[in-house]
Structure formats: structure tokens, C-alpha cells
Amino acid sequence: MDSQGGRSVRRIVPVLVVVLAVTVAGCAGFGTDATDENASPDGEPATDDSGNESTDGESNDTDDATDTNDANGGSDSGESADEGNADADAAPDESTENGSIENGSTGNESTESENAEVNESTVEETETAEGTLEIHAIDVGQGDATLIVGPEETMLIDSGDWRDDGETVIAYLESQGIERIDYLVTTHAHADHIGGHAAVIEHYETEHDGVGEVWDPGVSSTSRTYENYLDAVEEHDVDLIRARSGDEIDFAGGTTVLNPPAESGSDDLHENSLSVRVTHGETAFLATGDAESETEERMVEEHGDALEADVYQVGHHGSSTSSSDAFLDRVDPEYAIISSAYDSQYGHPHEEVLAAFDERGVETYWTAVHGSIVVESDGEELSVEPETDATTDPSELREEPPVDEADETEGTDEEKTGADAATAQTPTPIHTPKAIA
């Protein structure tokens, strides 16, 4: 066990012996047999191909050769059957012949007093920032991937959809001169969020200066994408840490884990979605993965004003299952960033969410029309640089053309006649990020 920020840090220790993994996972309370084998929200086919009603009001359709997702995930179509088993909302036993949880000697709980201290210290942070912090919302279609470049270190939150296998994310990281990923944050195990994890780890461990730590909520999946991710962690001996609310990641001006709770009692991937608040001077960024309204309610009760953030990576791709009124009132963002496909089969972002931002006067960016978006903070002021100019009025976002059509209209002759897509979709950074040794 390591100590970080005065709290116990739990490492997920890869093992190959299934019996040992099951025993350790059982002691940790990490995984139980799956109770829901319905189709995965992230696009990979579930062990049971039966459809289920989604929380967004859409239902699965398994008449096609591919398994249609419900709105809980965020991929446009299903993974072919030969890609292996898919994510299940309720995690099976943690052992997938890849790894298991090992708790610290103090357990994985945090006390209410510790959480209260986190709330107070987070809100009162006014340290003078050194250097700049860049937040890059990478356009990965129906998925999530956010690069944060601090004055000294880097963090990557999620890595896009499994169909892309990390190609878009790796190309973007290369274009920004990123030599090392100090922190790879897994919000949850759905394949539209961890689709590039294995490739990113492999690339940086073999071609660059590696991956420092992986922070994970500790709720497993049966998908091949998830297994490949754990295989890469094990193969390259990357530290894998089980995150809990109140943990502190030593990144930027301070990065606080807000979810999952210390004692979840649930294997639901969205309920345990790893949520973080990153600060830089007087500015803050909040990312909640696919956390939904019930989880947001718990975070409001536990963290209160410590949720306040200038930039909000909109939960669940702009689904109405997230961004509840009480939560938005606490976060009180100046900018909102939505990551989803233009033709999302779930209709992301939902009108209810856009209306909520409109009512609050939140400047709203959507990767589908703005492309990749870069926010820069000097610790006091923020600037936003989208790849493509488009309205930021949430009531008018739906009227904008998709970013690829905008590029065809506004791009150079070379771009119009088929320049490399990765190059065409890579925004010019505000400044050249510092290479991390």
C-alpha cells in the first residue's frame, strides 16, 4: 500500500491464478456474479443477446447482426460477436484472468470527517498557479477522451470507443508532443470510454516514456476490451489504483476523486463512474464520466460546494439521465463540453440538458460541431479554442452542421480533396505543450 495525500491508496494487483483472484476480490467486495446479462450500453454484445429498456427511454434492438446499445453507453453500433463478451452493467467476479483488487490494510472506506475536510479544503483553494493548464476534449465521436496537460505532468481521462482502438487518441497525443501519460483515469469499463486503453498503454510503454498510474473505479466488465486493458496493465507493470471518493491525485493544483463512494454496495458501472475535479489556481474542471442523476444527488450531498467548476465535461454525453438541476446548481459552470457523435442513435445531447444550460447561460461546446476543444487556464482566466467555429448557444447547437461538413466548407483545397483525416481534425494547440520526461 502506498500513501498519497494522507489517504490510503489501494492498488489493483494483476495475477494469473483465477482462484487467488476470486479470493482476493471476494475479500475486497469488488465483484459478484453478474445479475444483468442484457446488452451492453457501450456497443459490445452482451453474453445474453436479449434487449433491455434503457434508462434514457430508448430500447435495445437485437434484430440486426450488431447489438444496438441503450442510451447508457455511447456507441453507434454493436461489436461483432467474435470480439468477445461485452460489458455488463452489473460486474461479474473481478477475475477475468487479468487482475483483482487488493485492499489496503485500512480497507477502502473513507470517514465522513475526511470527506468534510476534503469539501472545505477544495472550496477554499486559492493557491497561485504556476504555468498553464490545458484541457483537450478530443473529438472521438460517440465516446469520451480528455487530455489534461499541466505545468509538469499529464492526465488522460478515458480513451474513446473500441472501434477506433485508440488511433484517434494516439494521433492527437502525438500531435501535441505528449511523451508520457502520468495519470490514465478510467471513468468506467464501458467500451466507448476505455476503447483505446490497451493501445495507448502499449504505445506509450514501448514508444515513449510510459504510463505512470492508472486510476480505476474497480468495477469490472466481461468485455474483451476490458480484458485487453487489464492485459496491457499487467504486461507493462503499470500501477493500477482503485479510486474512492475523497482520494487525492497529486496532479495540477490538486485533483479530488468525488465518486465512486467509499462503500458503494453496487456493481453498476454508471453508479460507480469515477468522477474527478481538477484545480489550477482559482479555476476548476469537473469530469463525471457517465454518472447519472442518483449518483449526482449523492455527490451533492457529500461534496456540496466542492463540486463548483468553471468547466464541466457534461455527464453521459449530454444524456437527460445526467446533469440534473440540483447538480448543475452546485457545479455552476461557465463552460460545458459535450462529447458525442452528431448522429448519435440516442439523440445526445438531449434537449432537456441543452435547455438547462440555456437557462443558466452556460457557454456550450459540442465535439460533433466544434471538433476537438482546448481550454487553457492560467490559474485565473480561461480561454477556449475549438477546432471549428460554431455557435456556443445551447439553444442553437442543433442547427449547426457536423464538424466534418464544416471542414469541407471552410477548409483549404487540400483538406477538401482528402488530406489525412487525423491531421485535418487536429486543432492547433494554444502553445506547444511541454514534453514530459
Side-chain angles (χ1 to χ4, degrees):
M1 184 199 321
D2 287 350
S3 175
Q4 186 164 329
R7 294 183 50 80
S8 61
V9 175
R10 298 154 295 280
R11 296 194 182 280
I12 301 175
V13 182
V15 295
L16 292 176
V17 182
V18 175
V19 174
L20 177 58
V22 171
T23 302
V24 176
C27 294
F30 175 72
T32 58
D33 289 340
T35 58
D36 182 2
E37 294 181 349
N38 290 329
S40 163
D42 59 32
E44 296 188 298
T47 304
D48 181 348
D49 288 335
S50 61
N52 68 317
E53 193 74 17
S54 77
T55 57
D56 277 352
E58 299 116 5
S59 60
N60 287 335
D61 180 1
T62 55
D63 292 337
D64 297 330
T66 57
D67 185 31
T68 304
N69 315 334
D70 65 21
N72 290 344
S75 53
D76 296 330
S77 60
E79 182 179 2
S80 59
D82 62 1
E83 284 299 319
N85 292 332
D87 301 345
D89 285 341
D93 183 88
E94 163 58 6
S95 173
T96 57
E97 299 184 5
N98 301 88
S100 63
I101 286 289
E102 180 179 89
N103 281 338
S105 59
T106 59
N108 59 12
E109 67 278 357
S110 63
T111 65
E112 293 181 3
S113 61
E114 286 175 320
N115 288 329
E117 291 173 1
V118 170
N119 290 352
E120 294 174 3
S121 63
T122 304
V123 174
E124 295 174 0
E125 281 175 355
T126 57
E127 294 183 4
T128 302
E130 296 183 3
T132 60
L133 181 84
E134 292 179 357
I135 302 161
H136 299 245
I138 306 171
D139 179 13
V140 291
Q142 188 69 26
D144 263 322
T146 303
L147 167 69
I148 307 179
V149 182
E152 296 180 354
E153 294 183 309
T154 62
M155 174 180 287
L156 178 65
I157 304 175
D158 291 338
S159 60
D161 189 62
W162 61 271
R163 296 169 189 80
D164 188 62
D165 195 27
E167 288 187 12
T168 297
V169 172
I170 290 172
Y172 189 93
L173 297 177
E174 291 284 4
S175 76
Q176 300 300 307
I178 304 301
E179 292 294 327
R180 175 176 170 82
I181 299 171
D182 295 284
Y183 302 96
L184 175 60
V185 174
T186 303
T187 62
H188 63 292
H190 280 150
D192 58 324
H193 289 256
I194 63 166
H197 270 37
V200 167
I201 293 171
E202 175 71 20
H203 181 77
Y204 273 85
E205 287 290 332
T206 59
E207 302 294 331
H208 293 293
D209 295 335
V211 176
E213 297 175 351
V214 176
W215 285 68
D216 187 287
V219 180
S220 65
S221 166
T222 58
S223 72
R224 178 171 294 181
T225 300
Y226 184 76
E227 292 179 355
N228 289 343
Y229 152 46
L230 290 187
D231 282 345
V233 168
E234 180 182 8
E235 178 182 352
H236 297 288
D237 196 26
V238 180
D239 286 340
L240 184 57
I241 300 172
R242 181 177 182 173
R244 285 293 177 262
S245 178
D247 285 341
E248 294 287 336
I249 303 175
D250 188 18
F251 175 74
T255 299
T256 303
V257 176
L258 305 172
N259 197 62
E263 295 183 0
S264 172
S266 169
D267 292 322
D268 182 77
L269 294 176
H270 289 171
E271 185 175 333
N272 289 280
S273 189
L274 203 167
S275 303
V276 294
R277 181 178 184 269
V278 181
T279 63
H280 184 62
E282 298 178 4
T283 62
F285 166 72
L286 178 66
T288 61
D290 280 0
E292 298 180 338
S293 57
E294 289 185 5
T295 300
E296 292 175 347
E297 181 180 356
R298 187 201 64 76
M299 286 194 281
V300 167
E301 292 175 354
E302 181 176 344
H303 301 288
D305 290 340
L307 294 171
E308 185 177 349
D310 304 280
V311 183
Y312 169 45
Q313 178 86 31
V314 180
H316 202 174
H317 316 284
S319 169
S320 59
T321 61
S322 307
S323 302
S324 55
D325 286 339
F327 184 73
L328 288 181
D329 288 344
R330 287 290 191 174
V331 177
D332 192 25
E334 181 178 355
Y335 304 103
I337 299 176
I338 300 167
S339 180
S340 72
Y342 190 85
D343 57 353
S344 166
Q345 69 186 97
Y346 319 115
H348 295 159
H350 289 162
E351 292 297 337
E352 300 93 321
V353 174
L354 294 176
F357 292 147
D358 188 34
E359 291 170 4
R360 291 167 172 79
V362 179
E363 195 169 310
T364 306
Y365 293 83
W366 181 19
T367 56
V369 300
H370 292 101
S372 296
I373 300 144
V374 182
V375 181
E376 183 179 285
S377 167
D378 63 5
E380 295 182 359
E381 302 293 332
L382 295 169
S383 62
V384 185
E385 183 72 24
E387 173 187 347
T388 300
D389 289 332
T391 183
T392 58
D393 184 335
S395 67
E396 299 176 358
L397 271 180
R398 286 281 182 192
E399 301 172 11
E400 294 287 340
V403 65
D404 51 353
E405 289 185 10
D407 287 344
E408 290 176 4
T409 302
E410 301 173 4
T412 64
D413 290 339
E414 181 182 11
E415 289 170 338
K416 293 176 182 177
T417 55
D420 180 72
T423 302
Q425 294 182 5
T426 299
T428 302
I430 295 175
H431 68 266
T432 303
K434 175 182 177 182
I436 307 301

